[in-house]
Amino acid sequence: MINPKDVIRMKIPYPNISDKLAVSAHMYICKNVKDNVYEYVKCQTLKPKMLTSKILKHFVDEEADILRNPFQKATRIDCDKLFVTDSVQYDNGLKTVTRPDVCQELYDTVMKELDEDGNEEIKLNEDELISLNSMIKKV
């Protein structure tokens, strides 16, 4: 079972199934699970151009540190968007291998940033999500 703080790797059909997020797997931190509703926050490798970009309003930058996270490079956690599903099940095999979750301190920092002044909740197309990820199934 995927729990809050767990980090999984998956491809998501956002903004559509042919977008770059659907082509390769990215890491996502599980914000919350209630019944079958899962909420995820996207993580991506921090690139130099992102340091001066104003595209994201709310984010957390985190260095790779096995004591805190499973990231292998400096990472930007996007707190402007929350990806949501409500009728799929995530296999434990999606969890990151080096470390399956983020530490409590990082999780709390991300939650605070998410709550800063709201975020965009994006309901994913679950049929497309399943077609991209063999370890995600309909409930």
Side-chain angles (χ1 to χ4, degrees), residues 15-138:
N16 58 57
I17 197 161
S18 58
D19 192 73
K20 63 183 176 184
L21 292 180
V23 175
S24 60
H26 286 80
M27 290 186 190
Y28 294 83
I29 299 170
C30 181
K31 175 190 183 260
N32 196 28
V33 179
K34 185 171 183 176
D35 299 320
N36 276 339
V37 178
Y38 287 82
E39 300 173 329
Y40 290 100
V41 182
K42 183 168 111 25
C43 308
Q44 65 185 64
T45 301
L46 184 60
K47 297 163 192 73
K49 66 179 181 183
M50 296 167 92
L51 297 173
T52 57
S53 173
K54 301 289 185 206
I55 293 173
L56 293 181
K57 186 175 179 184
H58 297 287
F59 57 87
V60 175
D61 288 343
E62 176 78 2
E63 292 297 322
D65 181 349
I66 196 65
L67 298 176
R68 293 177 51 84
N69 61 64
F71 311 141
Q72 296 179 351
K73 298 178 181 175
T75 299
R76 177 157 287 182
I77 302 164
D78 178 350
C79 298
D80 282 345
K81 294 179 224 49
L82 195 59
F83 295 98
V84 180
T85 62
D86 62 17
S87 61
V88 296
Q89 191 171 30
Y90 298 86
D91 189 277
N92 279 330
L94 293 166
K95 289 182 187 178
T96 49
V97 178
T98 56
R99 179 187 169 125
D101 62 0
V102 294
C103 70
Q104 189 65 48
E105 181 184 5
L106 176 55
Y107 180 80
D108 291 343
T109 300
V110 170
M111 294 308 104
K112 183 174 185 262
E113 194 64 33
L114 278 166
D115 292 339
E116 191 61 32
D117 62 3
N119 52 63
E120 180 183 3
E121 192 171 290
I122 299 162
K123 172 79 169 84
L124 293 173
N125 179 317
E126 295 174 351
D127 291 330
E128 291 178 352
L129 182 69
I130 290 166
S131 75
L132 294 170
N133 301 276
S134 63
M135 289 193 275
I136 300 176
K137 309 279 187 217
K138 275 277 193 207

